[in-house]
Amino acid sequence: MIKIAILASGTGSNAKKLIEAAKELHHVEVCLLLTDQESAGVIDYCKSCDQAYEVVPKKGLNKQEHEEKIFQLLKQNEIDLILLAGYMRILSADFIGRFSHPKEKFSRIINIHPSLLPEHRGLNAYEQAFNSDSDFSGITLHYVDPGMDTGEIILQNKFDRLADDTIESFKARGLALEHQMYPYLLKNINENYKNYPAMELL
Ligand code: GRF
């Protein structure tokens, strides 16, 4: 069984899709949802469906202390894979290094980014893409490395920017694609569960 933690800071619409999808799969389990935001919308969803969750606010902690708290929770829950779903903090190289399997090339941390990377890295990627002159954008799933949205790309898909789009309609089209892609990847991971031997977190 691949034990998964989802890290989310906001609404958690992707987290919700992942939690729903995991319920139908035999080799993956969302053991924990972790959020750094006490008022994150995703907490209400967790409560509504008995999803285990932890809130780890950053307040009063430096980055290292905050990540250490998170790491200890991952360790206690024997987590094998982290899925970032709108987690608004940059993970340190140290944390990423500790959450990597010694025999694997990439970290065991995956992120979803709302652009066709390497285009529009960083914050407000939908807005960046909408304000560019391109008539399409896309969604990227990638492994997390210490850079800003620079990790190895796993999967990308395009969506159109229509002439009469507003930023809202454009974002909604992208988010609908995100909601297909993340569960699709989870199903793929489930099928290939043998490629994810248990992590030993030190
Ligand atoms: C998504 O657009 C995701 O790509 C980005 O943050 C947003 C999170 O949305 N990383 P939600 O909280 O999953 O609704």
Side-chain angles (χ1 to χ4, degrees):
M1 181 66 82
I2 305 175
K3 295 187 171 186
I4 293 174
I6 298 174
L7 268 60
S9 300
T11 324
S13 66
N14 279 288
K16 183 177 170 187
K17 294 289 172 189
L18 287 167
I19 291 165
E20 282 171 357
K23 288 187 178 145
E24 308 297 318
L25 303 170
H26 296 303
H27 303 295
V28 295
E29 183 188 359
V30 179
C31 298
L32 189 62
L33 182 132
L34 260 160
T35 182
D36 58 327
Q37 297 297 326
E38 283 159 300
S39 57
V42 71
I43 297 173
D44 291 333
Y45 175 71
C46 290
K47 286 180 182 162
S48 76
C49 66
D50 280 334
Q51 169 62 51
Y53 70 93
E54 293 277 354
V55 186
V56 187
K58 168 77 170 56
K59 209 175 167 198
L61 304 174
N62 65 32
K63 188 176 181 73
Q64 198 185 352
E65 291 163 343
H66 187 237
E67 287 190 340
E68 185 58 32
K69 267 196 158 185
I70 290 174
F71 192 83
Q72 290 309 322
L73 285 166
L74 299 171
K75 196 170 160 178
Q76 279 163 30
N77 286 274
E78 300 176 331
I79 296 300
D80 299 307
L81 179 67
I82 297 174
L83 300 179
L84 302 181
Y87 186 64
M88 298 305 286
R89 292 184 186 282
I90 309 261
L91 296 169
S92 70
D94 181 52
F95 181 94
I96 295 166
R98 288 171 85 192
F99 211 84
S100 299
H101 192 282
K103 293 195 176 146
E104 294 168 11
K105 201 168 159 198
F106 306 115
S107 74
R108 283 277 186 98
I109 310 174
I110 292 172
N111 183 42
I112 189 159
H113 184 79
S115 78
L116 273 186
L117 289 174
E119 295 291 319
H120 314 309
R121 291 188 170 125
L123 289 177
N124 304 320
Y126 277 124
E127 286 76 6
Q128 291 184 47
F130 183 76
N131 293 325
S132 76
D133 55 9
S134 177
D135 56 6
F136 65 87
S137 186
I139 305 295
T140 304
L141 283 158
H142 65 96
Y143 292 106
V144 172
D145 73 4
M148 165 79 85
D149 302 318
T150 51
E152 181 79 10
I153 290 170
I154 304 169
L155 181 66
Q156 289 188 306
N157 277 308
K158 284 184 187 173
F159 66 93
D160 291 331
R161 182 210 198 284
L162 305 180
D164 60 353
D165 261 342
T166 60
I167 180 65
E168 287 78 20
S169 60
F170 178 72
K171 259 189 183 178
R173 190 172 309 110
L175 202 56
L177 183 57
E178 293 190 43
H179 294 164
Q180 290 175 17
M181 285 173 65
Y182 228 164
Y184 174 85
L185 178 68
L186 188 65
K187 282 175 198 146
N188 194 278
I189 291 169
N190 179 70
E191 278 163 29
N192 295 289
Y193 68 98
K194 288 186 180 155
N195 295 343
Y196 296 82
M199 287 278 276
E200 219 182 294
L201 298 178
L202 304 171

